[in-house]
Amino acid sequence: MAQPLPPPPAPAQVISLDLRGVDILDVLKMLSQQSGLNFVAGRNVSGRVTVFVKDVEVWEAFERIVDANELAYERRGGIVHVMTARDYELLYGDKFQARTHSRTLTPASAKAVQLAAFLNQVKSAIGRVAVDEASNTLVVTDSPSRLEEMQRLVEQVDRPLDTRVYELRYAEAEKLKERLEGWLTPGLGTVQVDARTNTLMMTDLPEVTAQADRLVQAFDVQDREVLIEAKIMKVELSDEQSLGIDWQQTFSGVRTQGRTNFRVLADIVGGAGTGAALKYLSAGGETAVVIEALKQFGKVETLSNPRIMVLNGQEAKILVGTKEAFVTVTTTVPTTGSVVTSPQIQFVDVGTKLFVTPRIKPDGHVQLSIKPEVSTAKVETFQSNRIPIVSTTEAQTVVLIKSGATLIIGGLIDTKAGRTRSQIPVVGDLPLIGAAFRSQVDTTRKTELVVFLTPQIVSTTGEPLTTFQGNGTAPVPVGYQALVRALLSSRLTQLLGQASPGAGEVRLAFGLDRRGRLVGTPDVASPQGEPFVQAGREALGALEPFPPFPEGTAAPQIRLQLTVEYHPQK
């Protein structure tokens, strides 16, 4: 190992140099005069120096000159011996650039083994870190500047470590461990998992464990659930409706309380799918009325009416159909012996399938990723194997809908060809002349699949809730908000019908307490001006107090936001 290198002289002096092609010996003389350092140059030291530095310490300027000119030095007492790098290597057996020092570090709180892992990431290529676990001591070897850096880092982290134990209620310990590991102090922090009790134990610096507290609190929350009520119906289309259900005609015939002249717009924010095949009804809407209106197009048959609970962000699957079995046979011909056949039975889902993935939004809306699929199978036989040929019709969309509102998906049309034969008994079966007494008619039967989807956000108690925008959120039965909407729509219909102001819209935002009384000043606005604003205020005033909250409602008050459109009857 090279001789220990004493620290630079003190006090440090600052110097500025602007030299071009100056002899190295003259530069050493200048540095000696400026700083009081004593230099002795070896016989092989020669060459010219170009250096431009401003306001740097003398010793730092000297070291930069040494590095740039392949020189080396050694301090003995107060004298600095300057030599070539080659002479230094012949004298000490090591390259001057690889000179190292050693230092012993004894941490007060941290474990030496953990600090060693930390320092191994900081040391240079020529550095080494040795650990004595018995005495909790570190011996580090590296360049002088890197040793200083390593000592400062040890002083920063050599503090008592904090250990936190997290008994997780909802999050999975293994998955949360992956997130916490990115926060650990390298070489110090540790995270351990007890899978049996779903518990995490984290050890690190106090400021790191404080951040981990917030992270665990954010992720260890109960998953919210969505109750999805689906109604899957099949409508036999008449000849006039061969292109599918005319939804514009269907909704023009819907006449229920509050919907004579109004379309509630607040339930829907937007969606990826639009057009006649995708419709919305308000919360607590008129599903039954729409089903009745569909009967004008043909026979309506309910295939399924499931209710399924699904976690937020998870996929729910509904199948109305059968699992069609088909058999395949594997034939093995061994080199000796008889032929071996191995039949295998496999299944494929055939019928109506519905895949729904809900994602709850903070404002009480539910984003639905929907994929309805209708499939039919025709089994064919090939070499004694039953093979189903599956025909599939599917659609896929993403929509954003208010909790409790109903989404209608249509446009899934299935066409089946058939043949009807009629004949006079006995005579129609006679050869030759029987053809005159029988007939056959080719028919085409078209059916359209209609899906009604109603997602409802469910509270932790399992009851449906609706989240309203405003100051906080509050669980309220879905039926109550539908009642308030219906009352307002009905009263506004009367008021604007009397005033006849033309088409327009009213925007209402108001709060209600448990007794149904208004909380604060309602916000009523309309782009069409005062007649609509006045009608909105009169409707609220006339209906106050609204019906009280249903028994068991936990919220002390709610806030409703509603936009309605008015179109005069023609």
Side-chain angles (χ1 to χ4, degrees), residues 231-307:
K231 189 181 292 292
I232 304 174
M233 313 197 72
K234 181 173 68 175
V235 181
E236 289 191 16
L237 300 176
S238 59
D239 294 338
E240 293 79 8
Q241 300 295 332
S242 59
L243 297 179
I245 296 173
D246 185 347
W247 289 102
Q248 195 72 26
Q249 179 182 350
T250 301
F251 279 89
S252 66
V254 176
R255 292 291 183 266
T256 61
Q257 182 181 11
R259 280 189 60 96
T260 303
N261 298 307
F262 284 87
R263 296 195 302 271
V264 179
L265 304 179
D267 294 325
I268 306 304
V269 172
T274 57
L278 194 60
K279 295 291 182 180
Y280 306 92
L281 297 178
S282 62
E286 306 81 4
T287 304
V289 180
V290 174
I291 293 175
E292 287 297 321
L294 289 176
K295 292 182 179 179
Q296 64 181 303
F297 302 106
K299 181 182 177 182
V300 179
E301 178 185 356
T302 301
L303 301 180
S304 179
N305 188 18
R307 292 165 57 91

Side-chain angles (χ1 to χ4, degrees), residues 366-445:
V366 181
Q367 176 182 298
L368 295 178
S369 299
I370 309 165
K371 182 182 177 182
E373 179 181 312
V374 179
S375 58
T376 58
K378 181 176 67 173
V379 178
E380 295 186 358
T381 303
F382 177 74
Q383 295 183 354
S384 302
N385 296 336
R386 298 180 71 250
I387 302 175
I389 306 301
V390 180
S391 300
T392 302
T393 301
E394 64 180 38
Q396 191 166 357
T397 186
V398 179
V399 297
L400 193 63
I401 186 171
K402 186 76 172 178
S403 175
T406 300
L407 169 70
I408 304 177
I409 303 174
L412 298 173
I413 300 176
D414 182 32
T415 302
K416 290 184 179 180
R419 177 172 293 176
T420 303
R421 177 177 174 176
S422 60
Q423 68 177 34
I424 298 176
V426 181
V427 180
D429 294 327
L430 295 175
L432 299 178
I433 64 171
F437 300 95
R438 61 176 180 265
S439 63
Q440 61 183 22
V441 179
D442 292 333
T443 59
T444 300
R445 179 170 172 260

Side-chain angles (χ1 to χ4, degrees), residues 23 31 100 111 169 276 329 337 375 403 437 544:
D23 189 273
L31 293 177
T100 58
K111 292 183 179 181
R169 296 175 297 173
V329 178
S375 58
S403 175
F437 300 95
E544 186 186 16

